[in-house]
Amino acid sequence: STQSTGGSTSCTPCTPGTYSPSSASPSSTKCPVGQHASGQGSTKCVSCPAGSITFNTGSSTCYKCSTGYHANSAASACVACDAGTYNPISGGSCKKCPRGTYASGTASAQCTKCPVGTYADVEGLVRCKACENSINQDIGQTTCVQCKKGTRPNAGKTECEPYNIARGKPASQSTTMHGDGVPSHAVDGNDNPDYFVHSCTHTHTQVDPWLKIDLKESYPVREVIVTNRRDCCSERLNGFRVHVGNTGTRNDPVCGTLVVADFIANEKHVKCSGNGRYISLHNTDTRSKLILTICELEAYVEELQRPCPSGFYSETGYRPCKPCRAGSYITSDNKCKICPRGSISTQDKSRECDQCPTGHTTYLPDTSKCYGPELTASWFGNPITRFTSVADLGGHSLLSNGFTAKLGDWQLFSKTFYRQQKTTVANGKVYNTYWVGSVKPIITNKFCYSPRDLGKSYTGYRTKTVSGKTCQAWSSQSPHRHNFGTCPSSHPYAYLNGRYCCQYGREKVYTPVGETCDGGPISFTSTCCYGDRFRQCPNPPCRGTLDGSQGNYCRNPDNSKGGPWCYTTDPNTRWESCDIPQCSQDVDCYVDEGYTYMGTVSVTENNERCDNWPGESNNYCRNQDGSSMPKPYCMYRGSKKACKINKCNQDCGDPRSGMWGQFMALNTGMCMDPSASGSGANLQLNQCQASHKGDHVFQMDAQGYIRNKRTRYCVNVHGSRDPNCNTNVNMFTCQSYSSTDQRWQIEWSTFDDCAFRIRNKATNLCIDAPGNSDPSAGTNLIQCTCEDRKDSDHWFYFIPEEDRMCKYTQQNNKYLPGLVDHHPAYTTLISAQQACSRLGDLCAGVTRGGNSGSHTLRKGTTLSNSPSGEITWVKGDCVEEKYHPFKQEFM
């Protein structure tokens, strides 16, 4: 384009996102939507590749649509794949689901294999077709299998079950004594063993009596069941044999001989191996006069007591069997078990269950789906990414200007690794913002409940019971009437379980002694203001604990021991518990400044009852960035007041534990990272990555060596024991000699329970970043004089990438003498045991004080007798497993 400056004209290259199609153009033109110009001086715009879009005109870059989406024809928006289609890669196109699979919803990244008993014979199905008069026993099938003669599909179309081929077929016998003993009684389906209810056959007393069933065509008979009389005369069947063949005479092959002593519950199961049209009974004695009488004869083309096939199960291990459905798995002894909490199987006949994403769990009865926080990020309304796994959320660098909390409440932070909280996005809400550094879901009391109050403070979004029934809204009285709904506006509080209200609607909330009601002093025992009196509450009575804002979410207004529950929409089931797990973290304590506190404390440090927050119906203590308060607070008579809440026992990452993890700089939020894979590579600070994606993972052993997981080299001071400040720190082959400068020690800060510096044992200098909190990626680390200042670059956090779970043995009236340094007393046993497990050889067990009740981490190998009744849990075998910061949220 041309520009005039001081009377002269010059040409300026078109900026990225614009173009000029011809020379001497007075101005550049923005690229239209769906096209881009990546560099300067473009003469034309280029269409975005398939699967990519631009959000507006003048774009220099095309953005790939995420999995499950495709670009529209104008390349201006990402559109969800239709049901029956999928897109497994970013920037790809939607395809029809292959035969044998389906996609029931939109935006599918992959298709699901058809369950057992169904099939998909064409592409692009939204749901699989049920087998008709046929079955299949595997997943992902494109056809069904016809059942063989003498069998038919079971209800689930998963197995061909043999049926009684003798029932209703023509029957005859040598003679009939009278009308009650006709031969058709052998095949009428009535196996009552009492002759006098007209269910049995009966011949005259004669030589060589017989009974014959005509199957009307030849069958491979594999089992015959004969039911004998019970009212009398059962011995008459002794010596009769079962024949199967094509003549209906004693010349047909013999299956077996009937001996009354072998009958169990009046039945005898005879195994056969022959084929034939006729089944007949004949006695081995052909000279004596005998009577033949039976009450039922059944015939099957397969043995009934057959083991279940692979992927199927029953209580006995024999047929009839059921397929092991999604949400369960098949054990090594061919039994079907429900997946443990926090794991799922999405296909029938699974041999194992897959772990849910971090911070997710499962609820009965559906163990084929993980349930947990979900947040979507978008750019001008177009979905960019979806957050579900907590472990990788410490850094968020995607370009986005909108966030939607699909499930759960999410915190947004301005900086990486959850620093400087920006806002909280509530469930179902949208927040439009730029410059988000990290995101984090709220787990406690949202996806698990606090055992401290049995879930009374639970405010999650579960609406199903343990059996899968839908919860009734708390504001509704149908189909079940109850007294937990909203009180009438004239009576905001009710007493004596809601049975009595104050006549003039002047009920008081219980408040500390000394406050007033209508100008007069009140006490804890008073209920109505002075001059008011009790009267019967409106019908139905209410307790005023739950209002319409609670929807139909599971709650625990009456402190039920089973945790959150709800009334159901099933008229035949009044209420049921909700299968919500307990939290292991104590909700009524806070970490850092308490920005994540979600408890229900509502009193100040001086026991003053908090005022309701403006525009809200609760007065729970909270904190937010920029409040200038060091802990959760509330408003009391127009002023901020710190609340009566204790600080949580923080389980800080400890590099001395021997676990693999990342060293993150306190001031910049960046992680230690080798600049290259070879020996001698500088140690730098770079943007932290998920542990499985980069080489940011290190391990410190008991001697002080810090080894990189990917390169296997050790953190080293450049040169040989160089005592000078500003000497580079690099990676080098690990050395074993005593004078090496590769041994380091951890020194904890006095201002942050989790922060430490790393001092070299040979040079006595600390790892440092040059400059003053330089946030630039690729900054080389050096060693320099150790500093105590809070704003020094010497301070680090350790973020483990794995976890360690150990067994503990309780020892009463015993204690371990040594205390583990830098780990305070813990309130709960589970928190102390978690911390002790993660410390490896540094911790030998947990001791609880006989008087204080607090739990301390101990070291040493010898137990001592305790005169004060202390209890010690000695650590035993441990198992290493994948670490994620939110795992301890679930029991």
Side-chain angles (χ1 to χ4, degrees), residues 601-618:
V601 172
S602 57
V603 294
T604 70
E605 291 179 333
N606 296 325
N607 291 321
E608 299 154 332
R609 185 181 182 84
C610 299
D611 299 332
N612 280 354
W613 293 99
E616 297 187 24
S617 60
N618 75 81

Side-chain angles (χ1 to χ4, degrees), residues 456 482-503 505-510 524-528 532-546:
K456 189 168 185 177
H482 60 90
N483 59 357
F484 289 108
T486 307
C487 287
S489 59
S490 60
H491 297 277
Y493 306 100
Y495 296 93
L496 301 180
N497 290 331
R499 295 183 182 279
Y500 295 96
C501 295
C502 298
Q503 181 176 359
R506 294 183 297 178
E507 295 91 354
K508 80 167 193 66
V509 184
Y510 284 124
F524 282 108
T525 58
S526 64
T527 53
C528 296
D532 210 335
R533 61 179 179 174
F534 279 139
R535 70 166 184 148
Q536 196 74 20
C537 276
N539 190 37
C542 68
R543 297 179 188 173
T545 54
L546 297 170

Side-chain angles (χ1 to χ4, degrees), residues 71-84:
N72 62 3
S73 58
S76 60
C78 292
V79 181
C81 293
D82 294 333

Side-chain angles (χ1 to χ4, degrees), residues 326-327 343-346 356 360-363 366-372 374 407 462:
S343 63
I344 62 167
S345 64
T346 57
C356 289
H360 286 54
T361 187
T362 51
Y363 299 133
D366 184 8
T367 53
S368 64
K369 179 182 179 182
C370 294
Y371 188 87
E374 181 179 344
L407 184 59
R462 185 68 179 165

Side-chain angles (χ1 to χ4, degrees), residues 672-675 680-685 698 708 715-716 729-731 767 779-782:
M672 283 171 44
D673 170 40
S675 61
N682 287 332
L683 188 65
Q684 300 180 335
L685 287 181
F698 296 82
N708 184 267
V715 176
N716 173 78
V729 178
N730 63 5
M731 306 302 299
I767 293 180
T779 300
N780 289 333
L781 291 173
I782 60 174

Side-chain angles (χ1 to χ4, degrees), residues 48 50 84 94 97 151 172 183 197 209 211 220 284 313 430 434 494 501 617 645 737 786 798 804 817 871 890:
C48 288
C94 300
C97 288
T151 68
S172 58
V197 297
L211 173 73
T284 55
Y313 75 102
V430 179
Y434 290 94
C501 295
S617 60
I645 310 173
Y737 51 84
C786 300
F798 183 70
R804 184 182 291 124
I871 302 174
F890 296 109

